[in-house]
Amino acid sequence: SSGSDFPWSDFQDLLLITYGRSTATGTNPDAFHVRLNNTTSVYRGQQFFWDKVNSNVGVARGTESGARIGYFPRAGHTTNTFGSAVARFSDINDTGKWTTVHADGGFDDNGTVGGTGAVVIYNTTWENTAALTSIVIVDGGYGNLLADTRFDLYGLKAAA
């Protein structure tokens, strides 16, 4: 929050819009993660659904070290293909409950490279009652964020 124009305590929710691509090799989508208040514990109950050509998958995830915010293309996908995602961080200043992160997004690779595109929905509970003061963005562990990857953060105020 130190780099923001307004203190995060002014907001009820935050919205992170991502446009990105990974430098990782291969054609499986790469998941970007966030670590809230730069902590790796405890993120739980993630579920995601994605479509890679005609194959749909639903997975309940166990404990992880960050909240997933979307699937993005890798270096093996069509040049200049980027993915997009929107993540909402709910009730970031309510210290009486855990924070919820809901994210959805995807990308299309025009059916090339084995027809790899992805559509994804994540819901994550961060089992911590601290007010949210920072968001650290990390690649899924397979590469780096490609140049021109962009993150835009918006604050949402509670209804008056």
Side-chain angles (χ1 to χ4, degrees), residues 11-158:
F11 304 112
Q12 178 174 338
D13 298 346
L14 292 176
L15 201 63
L16 179 67
I17 300 173
T18 304
Y19 176 77
R21 182 179 173 104
S22 171
T23 62
T25 59
T27 58
N28 286 327
D30 202 359
F32 292 0
H33 296 74
V34 293
R35 294 185 181 141
L36 308 181
N37 293 355
N38 201 21
T39 180
T40 58
S41 62
V42 166
Y43 301 86
R44 187 184 311 272
Q46 300 181 43
Q47 297 185 355
F48 68 96
F49 303 90
W50 65 292
D51 189 328
K52 183 177 178 181
V53 186
N54 297 310
S55 160
N56 294 314
V57 177
V59 177
R61 305 197 60 89
T63 302
E64 294 198 337
S65 62
R68 294 176 183 227
I69 58 168
Y71 265 168
F72 296 88
R74 291 184 178 197
H77 291 102
T78 302
T79 303
N80 298 323
T81 300
F82 280 70
S84 62
V86 177
R88 183 178 183 141
F89 304 84
S90 298
D91 297 321
I92 64 167
N93 291 300
D94 187 340
T95 57
K97 65 180 186 174
W98 295 337
T99 299
T100 300
V101 181
H102 171 84
D104 55 58
F107 70 93
D108 177 51
D109 202 20
N110 294 323
T112 60
V113 193
T116 56
V119 177
V120 65
I121 300 171
Y122 294 111
N123 284 292
T124 305
T125 300
W126 178 45
E127 294 183 2
N128 192 317
T129 58
L132 182 59
T133 59
S134 71
I135 298 172
V136 176
I137 301 165
V138 294
D139 183 83
Y142 303 104
N144 293 305
L145 307 177
L146 190 69
D148 295 325
T149 293
R150 189 177 75 228
F151 300 91
D152 299 307
L153 184 67
Y154 298 91
L156 304 173
K157 291 190 175 193

